[in-house]
Amino acid sequence: MVVDLIRSRIVLEAEIWVLRQQISILRRTAPTKHAFSAIDRLIFVGLYRLFPKVRDALAIVKPDTIVRWHRAGFRSYWR
């Protein structure tokens, strides 16, 4: 939590860029298999080379997985 307060504005902007790119990919390929285009790969490679810690923000997860995690969390909470 404290680390987030110290991070520079540029790193936060890069992380936002990565997250927006993920959303763009997911919207574009929602009904089909998730695949990166050449431009998507170039953007991710460029951002990673400039800001290696940006990779920590990158995670493409199916909505079913998130629902499963939430259900598992509620089950463990109420035990």
Coordinates of all heavy atoms in Angstrom, one line a residue:
M1 N 0.8 -1.2 0.0 CA 0.0 0.0 0.0 C 0.9 1.3 0.0 O 0.6 2.2 -0.8 CB -0.9 0.0 1.2 CG -2.1 0.8 1.1 SD -3.3 0.1 0.1 CE -4.7 1.0 0.5
V2 N 1.9 1.3 0.9 CA 2.8 2.4 0.9 C 3.6 2.6 -0.3 O 3.8 3.7 -0.8 CB 3.7 2.3 2.2 CG1 4.7 3.4 2.2 CG2 2.9 2.3 3.4
V3 N 3.9 1.4 -0.9 CA 4.7 1.5 -2.2 C 4.0 2.2 -3.3 O 4.5 2.9 -4.1 CB 5.1 0.0 -2.6 CG1 5.8 0.0 -3.9 CG2 5.9 -0.7 -1.6
D4 N 2.6 2.0 -3.3 CA 1.8 2.7 -4.3 C 1.9 4.2 -4.2 O 1.8 4.9 -5.2 CB 0.4 2.2 -4.3 CG 0.2 0.8 -4.7 OD1 1.0 0.3 -5.5 OD2 -0.8 0.1 -4.3
L5 N 2.1 4.7 -3.0 CA 2.1 6.1 -2.8 C 3.5 6.7 -3.3 O 3.5 7.9 -3.7 CB 2.0 6.5 -1.3 CG 0.6 6.1 -0.7 CD1 0.6 6.3 0.8 CD2 -0.5 6.9 -1.3
I6 N 4.5 5.9 -3.3 CA 5.8 6.3 -3.7 C 6.1 6.2 -5.2 O 6.9 7.0 -5.7 CB 6.9 5.5 -2.9 CG1 6.7 5.8 -1.4 CG2 8.3 5.9 -3.3 CD1 7.5 4.9 -0.5
R7 N 5.4 5.3 -5.8 CA 5.7 5.1 -7.3 C 5.5 6.4 -8.1 O 4.6 7.2 -7.8 CB 4.7 4.0 -7.8 CG 5.1 2.7 -7.2 CD 4.4 1.6 -7.9 NE 3.1 1.8 -8.5 CZ 2.4 0.8 -9.0 NH1 2.7 -0.4 -8.8 NH2 1.2 1.1 -9.6
S8 N 6.3 6.5 -9.1 CA 6.3 7.8 -9.9 C 5.0 7.8 -10.8 O 4.4 6.8 -11.1 CB 7.5 7.9 -10.7 OG 7.4 7.0 -11.8
R9 N 4.7 9.0 -11.2 CA 3.5 9.2 -12.0 C 3.7 8.5 -13.4 O 2.7 8.0 -13.9 CB 3.4 10.7 -12.2 CG 2.2 11.1 -13.1 CD 1.0 11.1 -12.3 NE -0.1 11.6 -13.2 CZ -1.3 11.4 -12.9 NH1 -1.7 10.7 -11.9 NH2 -2.3 11.9 -13.7
I10 N 4.9 8.5 -13.9 CA 5.1 7.8 -15.2 C 4.8 6.3 -15.1 O 4.2 5.8 -16.0 CB 6.6 8.1 -15.7 CG1 6.8 9.6 -15.9 CG2 6.9 7.3 -16.9 CD1 8.2 10.0 -16.2
V11 N 5.3 5.7 -14.0 CA 5.0 4.3 -13.9 C 3.5 4.0 -13.8 O 3.0 3.0 -14.3 CB 5.8 3.7 -12.6 CG1 5.4 2.3 -12.3 CG2 7.3 3.9 -12.8
L12 N 2.8 4.8 -13.0 CA 1.4 4.7 -12.9 C 0.7 4.8 -14.3 O -0.2 4.1 -14.6 CB 0.8 5.6 -11.9 CG 1.2 5.4 -10.4 CD1 0.7 6.5 -9.5 CD2 0.7 4.1 -10.0
E13 N 1.2 5.8 -15.0 CA 0.6 6.0 -16.4 C 0.8 4.8 -17.3 O 0.0 4.4 -18.0 CB 1.2 7.3 -17.0 CG 0.7 8.6 -16.4 CD -0.8 8.8 -16.6 OE1 -1.3 8.4 -17.7 OE2 -1.4 9.5 -15.8
A14 N 2.0 4.2 -17.2 CA 2.3 3.0 -18.0 C 1.5 1.9 -17.5 O 1.0 1.1 -18.4 CB 3.8 2.7 -17.8
E15 N 1.2 1.7 -16.3 CA 0.4 0.6 -15.8 C -1.1 0.8 -16.3 O -1.7 -0.1 -16.7 CB 0.4 0.6 -14.3 CG -0.4 -0.5 -13.7 CD -0.3 -0.6 -12.2 OE1 0.8 -0.3 -11.6 OE2 -1.3 -1.0 -11.5
I16 N -1.5 2.1 -16.3 CA -2.9 2.4 -16.8 C -2.9 2.0 -18.3 O -3.9 1.5 -18.8 CB -3.3 3.8 -16.5 CG1 -3.5 4.0 -15.1 CG2 -4.5 4.2 -17.4 CD1 -3.6 5.5 -14.6
W17 N -1.9 2.3 -19.0 CA -1.8 2.0 -20.5 C -2.0 0.5 -20.7 O -2.7 0.1 -21.6 CB -0.5 2.5 -21.0 CG -0.6 3.4 -22.2 CD1 -0.9 4.8 -22.1 CD2 -0.4 3.1 -23.5 NE1 -0.9 5.3 -23.3 CE2 -0.6 4.3 -24.2 CE3 -0.2 1.9 -24.2 CZ2 -0.6 4.3 -25.6 CZ3 -0.1 2.0 -25.6 CH2 -0.3 3.2 -26.3
V18 N -1.2 -0.3 -19.9 CA -1.3 -1.7 -20.0 C -2.7 -2.2 -19.7 O -3.2 -3.1 -20.4 CB -0.3 -2.4 -19.1 CG1 -0.5 -3.9 -19.0 CG2 1.1 -2.1 -19.6
L19 N -3.3 -1.7 -18.7 CA -4.6 -2.2 -18.3 C -5.7 -1.8 -19.4 O -6.6 -2.6 -19.7 CB -5.0 -1.6 -16.9 CG -4.2 -2.1 -15.8 CD1 -4.5 -1.3 -14.5 CD2 -4.4 -3.6 -15.6
R20 N -5.5 -0.6 -19.9 CA -6.5 -0.2 -21.0 C -6.3 -1.1 -22.2 O -7.2 -1.4 -22.9 CB -6.2 1.3 -21.4 CG -6.8 2.2 -20.3 CD -6.7 3.6 -20.7 NE -7.3 4.5 -19.7 CZ -7.1 5.8 -19.7 NH1 -6.4 6.4 -20.6 NH2 -7.7 6.5 -18.7
Q21 N -5.0 -1.4 -22.5 CA -4.7 -2.3 -23.7 C -5.4 -3.7 -23.4 O -5.9 -4.3 -24.4 CB -3.2 -2.4 -23.9 CG -2.9 -3.2 -25.1 CD -3.3 -2.4 -26.4 OE1 -3.5 -1.2 -26.4 NE2 -3.5 -3.2 -27.5
Q22 N -5.3 -4.2 -22.2 CA -6.0 -5.4 -21.9 C -7.5 -5.4 -22.1 O -8.0 -6.3 -22.7 CB -5.7 -5.8 -20.4 CG -4.4 -6.4 -20.1 CD -4.4 -6.8 -18.6 OE1 -4.8 -6.0 -17.8 NE2 -3.9 -8.0 -18.4
I23 N -8.1 -4.3 -21.7 CA -9.5 -4.2 -21.9 C -9.8 -4.1 -23.4 O -10.8 -4.7 -23.8 CB -10.0 -2.9 -21.1 CG1 -9.9 -3.1 -19.6 CG2 -11.4 -2.6 -21.6 CD1 -10.2 -1.9 -18.8
S24 N -9.0 -3.4 -24.1 CA -9.2 -3.3 -25.6 C -9.2 -4.7 -26.2 O -10.0 -5.0 -27.0 CB -8.1 -2.4 -26.2 OG -8.1 -2.5 -27.5
I25 N -8.2 -5.5 -25.8 CA -8.1 -6.8 -26.4 C -9.3 -7.7 -26.0 O -9.9 -8.4 -26.8 CB -6.8 -7.5 -25.9 CG1 -5.6 -6.8 -26.5 CG2 -6.8 -9.0 -26.2 CD1 -4.3 -7.2 -25.8
L26 N -9.7 -7.6 -24.7 CA -10.8 -8.4 -24.3 C -12.1 -8.0 -25.0 O -12.9 -8.9 -25.3 CB -11.0 -8.3 -22.8 CG -9.8 -9.0 -22.0 CD1 -10.0 -8.7 -20.5 CD2 -9.8 -10.5 -22.2
R27 N -12.3 -6.7 -25.2 CA -13.5 -6.3 -25.9 C -13.5 -6.7 -27.3 O -14.6 -7.1 -27.9 CB -13.6 -4.8 -25.8 CG -14.1 -4.3 -24.5 CD -14.3 -2.8 -24.5 NE -14.7 -2.3 -23.2 CZ -14.5 -1.1 -22.7 NH1 -14.0 -0.2 -23.5 NH2 -15.0 -0.8 -21.5
R28 N -12.4 -6.6 -28.0 CA -12.3 -7.0 -29.4 C -12.5 -8.5 -29.6 O -13.0 -8.9 -30.6 CB -10.9 -6.5 -29.9 CG -10.7 -6.7 -31.4 CD -9.4 -6.1 -31.9 NE -8.3 -6.7 -31.3 CZ -7.4 -6.1 -30.6 NH1 -7.4 -4.8 -30.4 NH2 -6.4 -6.8 -30.0
T29 N -12.0 -9.3 -28.7 CA -12.0 -10.7 -28.9 C -13.0 -11.4 -27.9 O -12.8 -12.6 -27.7 CB -10.6 -11.3 -28.7 OG1 -10.2 -11.0 -27.4 CG2 -9.7 -10.7 -29.7
A30 N -14.0 -10.8 -27.4 CA -14.9 -11.3 -26.4 C -15.5 -12.7 -26.8 O -15.4 -13.6 -26.1 CB -15.9 -10.3 -26.0
P31 N -16.1 -12.8 -28.0 CA -16.8 -14.1 -28.2 C -15.8 -15.1 -28.8 O -16.2 -16.3 -28.8 CB -17.8 -13.7 -29.3 CG -17.3 -12.5 -30.0 CD -16.5 -11.8 -28.9
T32 N -14.6 -14.8 -29.1 CA -13.7 -15.7 -29.7 C -12.5 -16.0 -28.7 O -12.4 -15.4 -27.6 CB -13.1 -15.2 -31.0 OG1 -12.4 -14.0 -30.8 CG2 -14.2 -14.9 -32.0
K33 N -11.6 -16.7 -29.2 CA -10.4 -17.0 -28.4 C -9.5 -15.7 -28.2 O -9.4 -15.0 -29.2 CB -9.5 -18.1 -29.1 CG -8.3 -18.5 -28.4 CD -7.5 -19.5 -29.2 CE -6.2 -19.8 -28.5 NZ -5.4 -20.7 -29.2
H34 N -9.0 -15.6 -27.1 CA -8.1 -14.4 -26.8 C -6.8 -14.5 -27.5 O -6.1 -15.5 -27.3 CB -7.9 -14.2 -25.3 CG -9.2 -14.0 -24.6 ND1 -10.0 -12.9 -24.8 CD2 -9.8 -14.8 -23.7 CE1 -11.1 -13.0 -24.0 NE2 -11.0 -14.1 -23.3
A35 N -6.5 -13.6 -28.4 CA -5.2 -13.6 -29.1 C -4.7 -12.2 -29.2 O -5.4 -11.3 -29.4 CB -5.4 -14.2 -30.5
F36 N -3.4 -12.1 -29.2 CA -2.7 -10.8 -29.3 C -2.4 -10.5 -30.8 O -1.9 -11.4 -31.5 CB -1.4 -10.7 -28.5 CG -1.6 -10.8 -27.0 CD1 -1.1 -11.9 -26.3 CD2 -2.2 -9.8 -26.4 CE1 -1.3 -11.9 -25.0 CE2 -2.4 -9.8 -25.0 CZ -1.9 -10.9 -24.3
S37 N -2.7 -9.3 -31.2 CA -2.3 -9.0 -32.6 C -0.8 -8.5 -32.5 O -0.2 -8.3 -31.4 CB -3.2 -7.9 -33.1 OG -2.9 -6.6 -32.4
A38 N -0.2 -8.2 -33.7 CA 1.2 -7.8 -33.7 C 1.3 -6.4 -33.0 O 2.3 -6.2 -32.3 CB 1.6 -7.7 -35.2
I39 N 0.3 -5.6 -33.2 CA 0.4 -4.2 -32.5 C 0.3 -4.4 -31.0 O 1.0 -3.7 -30.3 CB -0.7 -3.3 -33.1 CG1 -0.4 -3.0 -34.6 CG2 -0.8 -2.1 -32.3 CD1 -1.3 -2.1 -35.3
D40 N -0.6 -5.3 -30.5 CA -0.7 -5.5 -29.1 C 0.7 -6.0 -28.5 O 1.1 -5.5 -27.5 CB -1.7 -6.6 -28.8 CG -3.1 -6.2 -29.2 OD1 -3.4 -5.0 -29.1 OD2 -3.9 -7.1 -29.6
R41 N 1.3 -6.9 -29.2 CA 2.6 -7.4 -28.8 C 3.7 -6.2 -28.8 O 4.5 -6.1 -27.8 CB 3.1 -8.5 -29.6 CG 2.3 -9.7 -29.5 CD 2.6 -10.8 -30.5 NE 1.5 -11.7 -30.6 CZ 1.6 -13.0 -30.4 NH1 2.8 -13.5 -30.2 NH2 0.6 -13.8 -30.5
L42 N 3.7 -5.4 -29.8 CA 4.6 -4.3 -29.8 C 4.4 -3.3 -28.7 O 5.3 -2.8 -28.1 CB 4.5 -3.5 -31.2 CG 5.1 -4.2 -32.4 CD1 4.8 -3.5 -33.6 CD2 6.6 -4.4 -32.2
I43 N 3.1 -3.0 -28.4 CA 2.8 -2.1 -27.3 C 3.3 -2.7 -25.9 O 4.0 -2.0 -25.2 CB 1.3 -1.8 -27.2 CG1 0.9 -0.9 -28.4 CG2 0.9 -1.2 -25.9 CD1 -0.6 -0.8 -28.5
F44 N 3.0 -4.0 -25.7 CA 3.5 -4.6 -24.5 C 5.0 -4.7 -24.4 O 5.6 -4.5 -23.3 CB 2.8 -6.0 -24.3 CG 1.4 -6.0 -24.0 CD1 0.5 -6.7 -24.7 CD2 0.9 -5.2 -22.9 CE1 -0.9 -6.7 -24.3 CE2 -0.4 -5.1 -22.6 CZ -1.3 -5.9 -23.3
V45 N 5.6 -5.0 -25.5 CA 7.1 -5.1 -25.5 C 7.7 -3.8 -25.2 O 8.6 -3.6 -24.4 CB 7.6 -5.7 -26.8 CG1 9.1 -5.5 -26.9 CG2 7.3 -7.2 -26.9
G46 N 7.2 -2.7 -25.8 CA 7.7 -1.4 -25.6 C 7.5 -0.9 -24.2 O 8.4 -0.4 -23.6
L47 N 6.3 -1.1 -23.7 CA 6.1 -0.7 -22.3 C 6.9 -1.5 -21.3 O 7.4 -1.0 -20.3 CB 4.6 -0.9 -21.9 CG 3.7 0.1 -22.5 CD1 2.2 -0.2 -22.3 CD2 3.9 1.5 -21.9
Y48 N 7.1 -2.8 -21.6 CA 7.9 -3.6 -20.7 C 9.4 -3.2 -20.7 O 10.0 -3.1 -19.7 CB 7.8 -5.1 -21.1 CG 8.8 -6.0 -20.2 CD1 8.5 -6.2 -18.9 CD2 9.9 -6.5 -20.8 CE1 9.3 -7.0 -18.1 CE2 10.7 -7.3 -20.0 CZ 10.4 -7.5 -18.7 OH 11.3 -8.2 -17.9
R49 N 9.9 -2.8 -21.9 CA 11.3 -2.3 -22.0 C 11.5 -1.0 -21.2 O 12.5 -0.8 -20.6 CB 11.7 -2.2 -23.4 CG 11.9 -3.6 -24.0 CD 12.6 -3.5 -25.3 NE 12.7 -4.9 -25.8 CZ 13.4 -5.2 -26.9 NH1 14.0 -4.3 -27.6 NH2 13.5 -6.4 -27.3
L50 N 10.5 -0.1 -21.3 CA 10.6 1.1 -20.6 C 10.4 1.0 -19.1 O 11.0 1.6 -18.3 CB 9.5 2.1 -21.2 CG 9.8 2.6 -22.6 CD1 8.6 3.4 -23.1 CD2 11.1 3.4 -22.7
F51 N 9.4 0.1 -18.8 CA 9.0 0.0 -17.3 C 8.8 -1.5 -17.0 O 7.7 -2.0 -17.2 CB 7.7 0.7 -17.1 CG 7.7 2.1 -17.5 CD1 7.0 2.5 -18.7 CD2 8.3 3.1 -16.8 CE1 7.0 3.8 -19.1 CE2 8.3 4.4 -17.2 CZ 7.7 4.7 -18.4
P52 N 9.9 -2.2 -16.7 CA 9.8 -3.7 -16.4 C 8.8 -4.1 -15.4 O 8.2 -5.1 -15.4 CB 11.2 -4.1 -16.0 CG 12.1 -3.0 -16.5 CD 11.3 -1.7 -16.5
K53 N 8.5 -3.2 -14.4 CA 7.5 -3.5 -13.4 C 6.1 -3.5 -13.9 O 5.2 -3.9 -13.2 CB 7.7 -2.6 -12.2 CG 9.0 -2.8 -11.5 CD 8.9 -2.6 -10.0 CE 10.2 -2.9 -9.4 NZ 10.1 -3.7 -8.2
V54 N 5.8 -3.0 -15.1 CA 4.5 -3.0 -15.6 C 3.9 -4.4 -15.8 O 2.7 -4.6 -15.7 CB 4.5 -2.2 -17.0 CG1 3.3 -2.5 -17.8 CG2 4.6 -0.7 -16.7
R55 N 4.8 -5.3 -16.0 CA 4.4 -6.7 -16.2 C 3.6 -7.2 -15.0 O 2.7 -8.1 -15.1 CB 5.6 -7.6 -16.4 CG 5.2 -9.0 -16.8 CD 6.4 -9.8 -17.2 NE 7.1 -10.0 -15.9 CZ 8.2 -10.8 -15.9 NH1 8.7 -11.3 -16.9 NH2 8.8 -10.9 -14.7
D56 N 3.8 -6.7 -13.8 CA 3.1 -7.1 -12.6 C 1.6 -6.8 -12.7 O 0.8 -7.5 -12.1 CB 3.6 -6.4 -11.3 CG 5.1 -6.8 -11.1 OD1 5.5 -7.9 -11.6 OD2 5.7 -6.1 -10.4
A57 N 1.2 -5.8 -13.5 CA -0.2 -5.4 -13.7 C -0.9 -6.3 -14.8 O -2.1 -6.2 -14.9 CB -0.3 -4.0 -14.1
L58 N -0.1 -7.1 -15.5 CA -0.7 -7.8 -16.6 C -1.2 -9.1 -16.2 O -0.5 -10.0 -15.7 CB 0.4 -8.0 -17.7 CG 0.0 -8.6 -19.0 CD1 -1.0 -7.8 -19.7 CD2 1.2 -8.9 -19.9
A59 N -2.5 -9.3 -16.4 CA -3.1 -10.6 -16.2 C -4.4 -10.7 -17.0 O -5.3 -9.9 -16.7 CB -3.4 -10.8 -14.7
I60 N -4.5 -11.6 -17.9 CA -5.7 -11.8 -18.6 C -6.5 -13.0 -18.0 O -5.9 -14.1 -18.1 CB -5.5 -12.0 -20.1 CG1 -4.8 -10.7 -20.7 CG2 -6.7 -12.3 -20.9 CD1 -4.4 -10.8 -22.1
V61 N -7.6 -12.7 -17.5 CA -8.4 -13.8 -16.8 C -9.8 -13.8 -17.4 O -10.4 -12.8 -17.7 CB -8.4 -13.4 -15.3 CG1 -9.2 -14.5 -14.5 CG2 -7.1 -13.2 -14.7
K62 N -10.3 -15.0 -17.5 CA -11.7 -15.2 -17.9 C -12.6 -14.7 -16.8 O -12.4 -14.9 -15.6 CB -11.9 -16.6 -18.3 CG -11.2 -17.1 -19.5 CD -11.5 -18.6 -19.8 CE -10.7 -19.1 -20.9 NZ -11.0 -20.5 -21.2
P63 N -13.8 -14.2 -17.2 CA -14.8 -13.8 -16.2 C -15.2 -15.0 -15.3 O -15.4 -14.8 -14.1 CB -16.0 -13.3 -17.0 CG -15.4 -12.8 -18.3 CD -14.2 -13.8 -18.5
D64 N -15.3 -16.2 -15.9 CA -15.7 -17.4 -15.1 C -14.7 -17.6 -13.9 O -15.0 -18.0 -12.8 CB -15.7 -18.6 -15.9 CG -16.8 -18.5 -17.0 OD1 -17.7 -17.7 -16.8 OD2 -16.7 -19.2 -18.0
T65 N -13.4 -17.3 -14.2 CA -12.4 -17.5 -13.2 C -12.6 -16.5 -12.0 O -12.5 -16.9 -10.9 CB -11.0 -17.3 -13.8 OG1 -10.8 -18.1 -14.9 CG2 -9.9 -17.6 -12.8
I66 N -12.9 -15.3 -12.3 CA -13.1 -14.3 -11.3 C -14.3 -14.7 -10.4 O -14.3 -14.6 -9.2 CB -13.3 -12.9 -11.9 CG1 -12.0 -12.5 -12.5 CG2 -13.7 -11.9 -10.8 CD1 -12.0 -11.2 -13.3
V67 N -15.4 -15.2 -11.1 CA -16.6 -15.6 -10.3 C -16.2 -16.8 -9.4 O -16.6 -16.8 -8.3 CB -17.7 -16.0 -11.3 CG1 -18.9 -16.6 -10.6 CG2 -18.2 -14.7 -12.0
R68 N -15.4 -17.7 -9.9 CA -15.0 -18.9 -9.1 C -14.2 -18.4 -7.9 O -14.4 -18.9 -6.8 CB -14.2 -19.8 -10.0 CG -14.0 -21.2 -9.3 CD -13.3 -22.2 -10.3 NE -12.0 -21.7 -10.7 CZ -11.6 -21.5 -11.9 NH1 -12.4 -21.7 -12.9 NH2 -10.4 -21.1 -12.2
W69 N -13.3 -17.4 -8.1 CA -12.5 -16.9 -7.0 C -13.3 -16.3 -6.0 O -13.1 -16.5 -4.8 CB -11.4 -15.9 -7.5 CG -10.3 -16.5 -8.3 CD1 -9.9 -17.8 -8.4 CD2 -9.4 -15.7 -9.2 NE1 -8.9 -17.9 -9.3 CE2 -8.5 -16.7 -9.7 CE3 -9.3 -14.4 -9.5 CZ2 -7.5 -16.3 -10.6 CZ3 -8.3 -14.0 -10.4 CH2 -7.4 -15.0 -10.9
H70 N -14.3 -15.5 -6.4 CA -15.2 -14.8 -5.4 C -16.0 -15.9 -4.6 O -16.1 -15.8 -3.4 CB -16.2 -13.9 -6.2 CG -15.6 -12.6 -6.5 ND1 -15.8 -11.5 -5.7 CD2 -14.8 -12.2 -7.5 CE1 -15.1 -10.5 -6.3 NE2 -14.5 -10.9 -7.3
R71 N -16.5 -16.9 -5.3 CA -17.3 -17.9 -4.6 C -16.4 -18.6 -3.6 O -16.8 -18.9 -2.5 CB -17.9 -18.9 -5.6 CG -19.0 -18.3 -6.4 CD -19.6 -19.3 -7.3 NE -20.7 -18.6 -8.1 CZ -21.2 -19.0 -9.2 NH1 -20.7 -20.1 -9.8 NH2 -22.2 -18.4 -9.8
A72 N -15.2 -19.0 -4.0 CA -14.3 -19.7 -3.1 C -13.9 -18.8 -1.9 O -13.8 -19.2 -0.8 CB -13.0 -20.0 -3.8
G73 N -13.8 -17.5 -2.1 CA -13.5 -16.5 -1.1 C -14.6 -16.4 -0.1 O -14.4 -16.4 1.2
F74 N -15.9 -16.4 -0.6 CA -17.0 -16.3 0.3 C -17.2 -17.6 1.1 O -17.5 -17.6 2.3 CB -18.3 -16.1 -0.4 CG -18.5 -14.7 -0.8 CD1 -18.6 -14.2 -2.1 CD2 -18.7 -13.7 0.2 CE1 -18.8 -12.9 -2.4 CE2 -18.8 -12.4 -0.1 CZ -18.9 -12.0 -1.5
R75 N -16.9 -18.8 0.5 CA -17.0 -20.1 1.2 C -15.9 -20.1 2.3 O -16.3 -20.5 3.4 CB -16.7 -21.2 0.2 CG -18.0 -21.7 -0.5 CD -17.7 -23.0 -1.2 NE -16.6 -23.0 -2.1 CZ -16.7 -22.8 -3.4 NH1 -17.8 -22.5 -3.9 NH2 -15.6 -22.8 -4.2
S76 N -14.7 -19.7 2.0 CA -13.7 -19.7 3.1 C -14.0 -18.7 4.2 O -13.7 -18.9 5.3 CB -12.3 -19.5 2.5 OG -12.2 -18.2 2.0
Y77 N -14.6 -17.6 3.8 CA -14.9 -16.6 4.8 C -16.0 -17.1 5.8 O -15.9 -16.8 7.0 CB -15.4 -15.3 4.1 CG -15.9 -14.2 5.1 CD1 -14.9 -13.4 5.8 CD2 -17.2 -14.0 5.4 CE1 -15.3 -12.4 6.7 CE2 -17.6 -13.0 6.3 CZ -16.7 -12.3 6.9 OH -17.1 -11.3 7.8
W78 N -17.0 -17.8 5.3 CA -18.1 -18.2 6.1 C -17.8 -19.5 6.9 O -18.7 -20.0 7.6 CB -19.4 -18.3 5.3 CG -19.9 -16.9 5.0 CD1 -19.8 -16.3 3.8 CD2 -20.4 -15.9 5.9 NE1 -20.3 -15.0 3.8 CE2 -20.7 -14.8 5.1 CE3 -20.7 -15.9 7.2 CZ2 -21.2 -13.6 5.6 CZ3 -21.3 -14.8 7.7 CH2 -21.5 -13.6 7.0
R79 N -16.7 -20.1 6.7 CA -16.4 -21.4 7.4 C -16.0 -21.1 8.8 O -15.4 -20.2 9.2 CB -15.3 -22.1 6.7 CG -15.8 -22.8 5.5 CD -14.7 -23.7 4.9 NE -15.2 -24.2 3.7 CZ -14.5 -24.9 2.8 NH1 -13.2 -25.0 3.0 NH2 -15.1 -25.3 1.7

